[in-house]
Amino acid sequence: MRRLLLIAPLFLALLLVACDKNKKENPNPTPEPSEKDKILINYPWRMSTVTDLTGKAIPFNQLNAQTQAIKEVMDIQFLQNNVTKAIDQGSKQVINGGTWYLKNENKTLDIKISGFSGEFGVEELTNSKLRLKSKMPVSGVEQETIMVFEPVIK
């Protein structure tokens, strides 16, 4: 009986130490989103225009078919778990998906979606505008551009 009285507290102490150790090893498995992350995930984004570096709009017919499709067909939705979805503007159906990450102190947006992948320079990210710097063909010639997106407010 005495042994049982000695073993029970020892067992309880070991159990408490083991539980405390597990808490320290995995304190926060999912980091809190930054302020810029929160802006991105607030709503879907729709491309409104593509400009040159001076801010002059590039005519739609000078953009390649891929860029035209982004502007005319899809909205881009960024989700908190770093999943991104391309959503058809008309049917609201998901037509493509992938991942996104803000990197380099929120200066680069890394997007991996089939047909719209790459690292884009973040020129502006506010609740009313997203401007991404990228190289793309304009009238068949590769040049630096700014893709301007606006939030889709339902």
Side-chain angles (χ1 to χ4, degrees):
M1 182 73 162
R2 243 191 256 190
R3 279 188 181 167
L4 185 59
L5 289 175
L6 291 174
I7 293 174
L10 182 60
F11 179 76
L12 184 59
L14 287 173
L15 184 64
L16 290 174
V17 168
C19 289
D20 190 46
K21 183 179 177 186
N22 286 341
K23 285 182 187 176
K24 290 177 184 174
E25 288 177 5
N26 194 7
N28 189 6
T30 54
E32 287 295 315
S34 72
E35 288 305 311
K36 295 294 184 180
D37 290 331
K38 289 177 185 176
I39 291 171
L40 271 177
I41 62 179
N42 274 339
Y43 22 65
W45 294 86
R46 182 173 293 165
M47 184 186 288
S48 59
T49 189
V50 177
T51 71
D52 61 18
L53 296 183
T54 66
K56 181 181 173 193
I58 296 172
F60 185 70
N61 64 351
Q62 292 181 11
L63 303 173
N64 66 5
Q66 178 182 359
T67 306
Q68 289 179 7
I70 293 168
K71 183 178 184 325
E72 293 295 308
V73 177
M74 66 181 76
D75 295 333
I76 308 296
Q77 174 72 60
F78 300 94
L79 304 174
Q80 186 168 346
N81 59 357
N82 293 100
V83 169
T84 188
K85 296 179 180 180
I87 301 167
D88 183 273
Q89 291 175 5
S91 69
K92 306 299 181 206
Q93 297 294 313
V94 175
I95 54 177
N96 205 341
T99 60
W100 69 274
Y101 295 94
L102 273 173
K103 298 163 58 174
N104 302 325
E105 298 176 354
N106 298 326
K107 294 177 184 164
T108 305
L109 180 58
D110 185 4
I111 301 174
K112 290 189 177 39
I113 297 178
S114 178
F116 185 67
S117 290
E119 291 191 356
F120 303 91
V122 178
E123 297 292 306
E124 181 179 355
L125 176 52
T126 65
N127 283 313
S128 61
K129 192 175 286 187
L130 169 62
R131 295 176 59 238
L132 300 176
K133 187 176 184 179
S134 173
K135 283 190 174 185
M136 68 174 60
V138 177
S139 295
V141 177
E142 190 90 1
Q143 75 176 58
E144 286 196 327
T145 61
I146 304 289
M147 296 179 290
V148 182
F149 293 83
E150 295 176 353
V152 178
I153 300 174
K154 301 172 187 175

